[in-house]
Amino acid sequence: MSLSAFVAGFVAVLVGFTSSVAIVFSAAQALGAGPAEISSWMWALGLGMGLCSVLPSLWLRQPVMIAWSTPGAAVLATAAAAGGFHLPEAVGAFLVSAALVTLFGVTGWFERLMGRIPMPIASALLAGVLARFGLDAFIALKSSFALVLLMLAAYLVGRRLWPRYAVPGVLLAGTAFAALQGQLHLGAVPLGLTMPVFTAPVFTLPAIVSLALPLFVVTMASQNLPGVAAIRAAGYDMPISKLITLTGLATLLLAPFGAFALNLSAITAAICMGREAHEDKNRRYMAAVACGLIYCVIGLFGAAVTGVLTAFPRELVVAIGGFALLGSIGTGLAAALKEDAHREAALITFLVTLSGLSLWGIGSAFWGVAAGALALFVQQWRPRIAA
């Protein structure tokens, strides 16, 4: 373990957790979950993400990053509000979705599909997913100019003088400034272990159609798809099918306690797979281990850790995430636009993904790949000439 790897893991948790935990809470509340059930969701999701990140990372000596499905939580919140579903029906839907994920992992269908996507398209997809965070870092100058400017200066100086510790320096500078300005809202952080609450599943056709199938589609298209792109762009060779199977089985086991969907990460994975985690590519897996261990602590002490993480100002979280991802964004764009034959299709993929387009509940990651693949097909298609 190194300081840069641990900080990369912490930043990954800070960015991934604080940017989407409100959506997860909204989904749980829309399904009728009370405080005990919501705490149980944090327990199940924290342990699921943590163990599924730590154990494979140590086994493979590669940074395996597992996260919850943020677009999946948004789908659940919307569908629950419209359809009036209750928690037992939702748990049944979680299990159906997890079974489908497991099926696609065991059969290798998803990995074979990903293998047909050209590397420039995959790199453009990743760059499009991450670029939004880079843009948000500079947009945050509007609301907190001094804080973000200080963090940008710390990043630039750090990249020049001590590149391996640039991101820890940015985090330290931002935290110190926020503390001096009274922007850290720690308050009374509750202590105590989180207790899991078991919810017996109920399987209904409306819940399967309205909850399970959309949850499965957005998890695979908007989460696992860019997750594989992040792995490929970082140059790692992982057993994708086995990892997809692992996320499906873990969700099956933890769904009755609130784990609605576990999947490969893209945004937090890029933080832990980038050069900021460690100059040596073979040692970056410790960043994923650090991230996973913190997730386990979140699961065990959900209320306390949630209070600490959400105490950071939004602008600080946005800025640290954006600056930590600059290297990955640049690498993705360079790989996407390198080849003349794929450049225009990759650019279309990047722009559609960056646009945030969402149709029929499916996010821009899927539509970016679809648009890029269509452009590439039109450009390279040659009609067969009969002999």
Side-chain angles (χ1 to χ4, degrees):
M1 181 65 72
S2 64
L3 176 62
S4 59
F6 177 81
V7 171
F10 177 77
V11 170
V13 174
L14 182 64
V15 172
F17 188 87
T18 57
S19 64
S20 59
V21 68
I23 300 175
V24 176
F25 283 178
S26 296
Q29 292 170 345
L31 292 167
E37 287 81 11
I38 293 176
S39 296
S40 180
W41 278 43
M42 290 297 102
W43 178 88
L45 291 167
L47 290 182
M49 294 186 297
L51 295 176
C52 288
S53 296
V54 170
L55 299 180
S57 294
L58 292 174
W59 179 261
L60 298 172
R61 294 295 191 269
Q62 298 186 77
V64 177
M65 292 290 292
I66 304 300
W68 61 44
S69 176
T70 301
V75 166
L76 290 175
T78 303
F85 297 103
H86 299 293
L87 198 54
E89 296 174 287
V91 170
F94 301 165
L95 292 171
V96 172
S97 175
L100 290 173
V101 171
T102 304
L103 175 64
F104 271 66
V106 170
T107 58
W109 292 342
F110 182 73
E111 186 171 8
R112 285 197 291 272
L113 176 63
M114 284 300 303
R116 299 180 66 87
I117 299 176
M119 189 61 194
I121 300 296
S123 298
L125 165 67
L126 178 64
V129 170
L130 302 182
R132 172 54 59 186
F133 285 80
L135 289 173
D136 288 344
F138 292 98
I139 293 174
L141 284 164
K142 293 182 179 180
S143 55
S144 188
F145 183 81
L147 171 63
V148 178
L149 185 62
L150 173 66
M151 294 176 69
L152 176 59
Y155 175 80
L156 294 175
V157 173
R159 289 299 302 162
R160 178 67 184 273
L161 300 179
W162 52 87
R164 183 175 171 183
Y165 301 104
V167 173
V170 174
L171 179 61
L172 180 61
T175 303
F177 183 86
L180 291 174
Q181 295 294 315
Q183 297 177 10
L184 288 180
H185 307 292
L186 288 171
V189 177
L191 298 177
L193 288 171
T194 301
M195 298 302 296
V197 177
F198 179 84
T199 301
V202 173
F203 299 93
T204 65
L205 183 59
I208 291 174
V209 173
S210 300
L211 296 180
L213 295 182
L215 179 61
F216 166 72
V217 171
V218 299
T219 297
M220 299 301 285
S222 299
Q223 294 286 143
N224 284 327
L225 186 63
V228 175
I231 293 171
R232 293 173 62 186
Y236 290 102
D237 183 18
M238 299 186 190
I240 300 300
S241 293
K242 292 182 179 179
L243 295 178
I244 295 294
T245 302
L246 174 65
T247 62
L249 292 175
T251 307
L252 282 171
L253 179 64
L254 294 170
F257 303 98
F260 57 93
L262 300 174
N263 46 252
L264 297 175
S265 170
I267 298 164
T268 54
I271 295 174
C272 292
M273 293 179 184
R275 64 189 181 193
E276 289 79 9
H278 204 285
E279 290 295 332
D280 186 352
K281 174 184 169 183
N282 295 321
R283 294 183 62 184
R284 294 172 188 168
Y285 73 94
M286 289 307 297
V289 173
C291 179
L293 291 175
I294 297 173
Y295 274 135
C296 288
V297 174
I298 288 177
L300 295 175
F301 301 93
V305 179
T306 299
V308 172
L309 292 179
T310 55
F312 288 88
R314 175 187 171 277
E315 290 81 3
L316 186 150
V317 174
V318 169
I320 190 67
F323 297 149
L325 290 169
L326 286 178
S328 297
I329 297 170
T331 301
L333 282 174
L337 305 177
K338 182 179 180 180
E339 301 177 16
D340 290 341
H342 296 90
R343 183 170 298 157
E344 190 168 8
L347 183 59
I348 291 173
T349 300
F350 170 75
L351 293 175
V352 173
T353 304
L354 178 60
S355 71
L357 174 69
S358 179
L359 297 173
W360 304 294
I362 302 176
S364 61
F366 174 81
W367 298 117
V369 172
L374 178 61
L376 192 62
F377 173 78
V378 172
Q379 291 171 351
Q380 298 186 352
W381 180 74
R382 296 290 185 273
R384 293 183 178 180
I385 301 175

